[in-house]
Amino acid sequence: MALISLSRRLRRTPFSDGVEAAGVRGYTVYNRMLLPTMFRSVEEDYRHLKEAVQIWDVAVERQVELRGPDAGRLMQMLTPRDLRSMLPGQCYYVPIVDETGGMLNDPVAVKLAEDRWWISIADSDLLLWVKGVAYGYRLDVLVTEPDVSPLAIQGPKSDELMSRVFGDRVRDLRFFRFGWFEFMGRDLVIARSGYSKQGGFEIYVEGSDIGMPLWNALMEAGKDLDVHAGCPNLIERIEGGLLSYGNDMTEDNTPHECGLGRFCNTNTAIGCVGRDALLRVAVEGPVKQIRPIEIHGSAVPPCDRLWPVMDGDIHVGNVSSAAWSPDYNTNVAIGMVRMTHWNTGTELDVITPNGVQPATVHEAFWT
């Protein structure tokens, strides 16, 4: 593959100097920023993530900040998840939909106060949609992208590393809850969350100027824990069923097709702009849905386009993410499959760049 040419349009992050010093070997472009994809190799990074602790530059998870009297109302307009019981200090995974019920993003909403929210977004221009909704409905709210860059600490030794830098109180954080912790005289939001199944935290670094001091402090504190720079790992995320917006789902899919129906309280999420469309989907049910798929045979190459899923000559779905899993000794994959063929154990074929390989709809994701 040809190199990606760098420019100011492809934004660096507050942690890019640390990433480069750590020997990053691969990037992708995410929200017009550099997101590391590999340091030693995907397989070595995968093993280390499961055994030790990693520091991830995930500043690409840009924040959309809602601030003002109508911030809560606007947040509810964006998602079919009922947010009325959400308290400051909580994080919610929220599907964001348009007026047709199509997925625009699948971020984490961080409720800082009744009148202040952060939306920690996946890869799409959600800021422009949110500004448009706020302006169109004449809401009393300011919508901005603040100088906030998440840094993720992931892996089984993450609690130990974080406690060395932020104190033992960080260990008490519950899943998808956050607290305020001091670093260099500044209070930072830290949540127990992250884009892996190995456990960990996300630090919302407010102010680019302390990005590298924090990176260096974590690296120094974790030397005896075998801390390494890392990144979201393709193999581990597929094993855990962590969906990637733009890969596994787009605006052409509803939350129900993405297996996210449990995050839709369509009857009670009054005000959501896609509510009427999703009410019909909730009653009728999706005709296709995300499923874990095991692809048998030799290791598959990178999945950079949809791979057709076939039942004989009938096209019944597409694989969108796939990788060889060392732990499960098979190819693990995520695919969208028609309801006629999505039952556990259904035998199908996947047309990969290596040729046709047999596949089976798996009962559940692997971790």
Side-chain angles (χ1 to χ4, degrees):
M1 178 178 176
L3 294 175
I4 297 173
S5 297
L6 302 181
S7 73
R8 289 187 63 245
R9 288 182 292 106
L10 185 52
R11 298 180 290 175
R12 292 170 64 82
T13 83
F15 319 110
S16 289
D17 288 347
V19 165
E20 291 166 358
V24 64
R25 296 183 62 190
Y27 284 112
T28 188
V29 178
Y30 195 105
N31 282 327
R32 300 185 299 284
M33 297 185 82
L34 292 167
L35 173 63
T37 58
M38 180 176 61
F39 284 86
R40 289 174 284 185
S41 71
V42 174
E43 292 77 13
E44 288 178 272
D45 293 347
Y46 163 86
R47 179 59 52 220
H48 181 264
L49 171 60
K50 289 190 170 186
E51 294 177 350
V53 59
Q54 295 180 351
I55 302 174
W56 294 3
D57 174 3
V58 286
V60 296
E61 296 172 0
R62 303 312 299 159
Q63 307 305 300
V64 175
E65 179 169 294
L66 317 181
R67 187 194 288 258
D70 287 336
R73 180 186 172 195
L74 175 57
M75 190 67 235
Q76 187 63 82
M77 293 177 74
L78 302 174
T79 180
R81 184 166 185 179
D82 191 336
L83 304 178
R84 288 178 297 175
S85 63
M86 187 177 180
L87 301 172
Q90 287 186 298
C91 309
Y92 273 18
Y93 180 73
V94 289
I96 302 290
V97 298
D98 64 13
E99 75 283 0
T100 71
M103 292 279 294
L104 294 179
N105 209 280
D106 69 324
V108 172
V110 181
K111 187 172 184 179
L112 301 167
E114 293 297 336
D115 62 351
R116 189 183 180 206
W117 300 66
W118 286 339
I119 309 173
S120 190
I121 66 171
D123 187 21
S124 79
D125 288 318
L126 193 68
L127 177 68
L128 304 181
W129 168 260
V130 179
K131 278 182 170 289
V133 172
Y135 179 77
Y137 282 87
R138 298 295 193 268
L139 300 181
D140 187 4
V141 60
L142 180 65
V143 180
T144 61
E145 180 184 311
D147 182 14
V148 176
S149 300
L151 188 67
I153 312 301
Q154 300 289 293
K157 298 180 182 178
S158 56
D159 277 60
E160 177 61 27
L161 175 57
M162 288 291 285
S163 69
R164 294 180 182 183
V165 176
F166 293 100
D168 282 337
R169 185 170 64 90
V170 78
R171 296 177 183 268
D172 298 330
L173 283 176
R174 293 159 54 193
F175 185 62
F176 261 44
R177 297 278 186 145
F178 70 83
W180 297 88
F181 296 82
E182 189 271 339
F183 181 78
M184 289 182 60
R186 197 171 301 175
D187 285 334
L188 303 180
V189 168
I190 298 179
R192 188 177 288 277
S193 58
Y195 195 54
S196 85
K197 292 286 188 173
Q198 306 310 309
F201 302 85
E202 288 179 299
I203 309 167
Y204 291 80
V205 182
E206 194 166 4
S208 298
D209 58 307
I210 62 169
M212 281 311 301
L214 177 56
W215 177 281
N216 291 332
L218 289 161
M219 281 291 185
E220 182 64 27
K223 281 183 176 179
D224 63 323
L225 301 176
D226 190 30
V227 66
H228 278 269
C231 52
N233 186 269
L234 175 68
I235 306 168
E236 196 271 347
R237 84 156 181 89
I238 297 174
E239 289 177 353
L242 299 177
L243 305 184
S244 170
Y245 186 81
N247 280 317
D248 306 310
M249 53 189 169
T250 70
E251 67 273 11
D252 294 326
N253 303 119
T254 67
H256 298 80
E257 290 176 343
C258 303
L260 304 178
R262 65 190 183 281
F263 299 110
C264 297
N265 314 107
T266 317
N267 288 324
T268 58
I270 307 301
C272 172
V273 297
R275 180 171 179 261
D276 289 346
L278 289 178
L279 281 171
R280 293 191 297 272
V281 174
V283 171
E284 299 168 3
V287 297
K288 58 184 178 180
Q289 198 169 62
I290 289 283
R291 284 291 186 272
I293 298 174
E294 179 180 2
I295 303 176
H296 307 289
S298 59
V300 295
C303 184
D304 64 350
R305 64 203 70 189
L306 294 175
W307 296 346
V309 176
M310 309 295 294
D311 178 13
D313 295 330
I314 305 172
H315 184 195
V316 298
N318 295 292
V319 163
S320 50
S321 297
W324 175 263
S325 166
D327 280 1
Y328 295 94
N329 198 37
T330 191
N331 294 296
V332 295
I334 297 171
M336 188 81 71
V337 183
R338 287 188 199 172
M339 64 182 299
T340 51
H341 292 78
W342 71 29
N343 289 339
T344 299
T346 302
E347 301 291 336
L348 299 165
D349 291 313
V350 177
I351 302 177
T352 78
N354 292 346
V356 177
Q357 295 186 220
T360 305
V361 177
H362 211 256
E363 179 179 7
F365 286 101
W366 289 263
T367 57

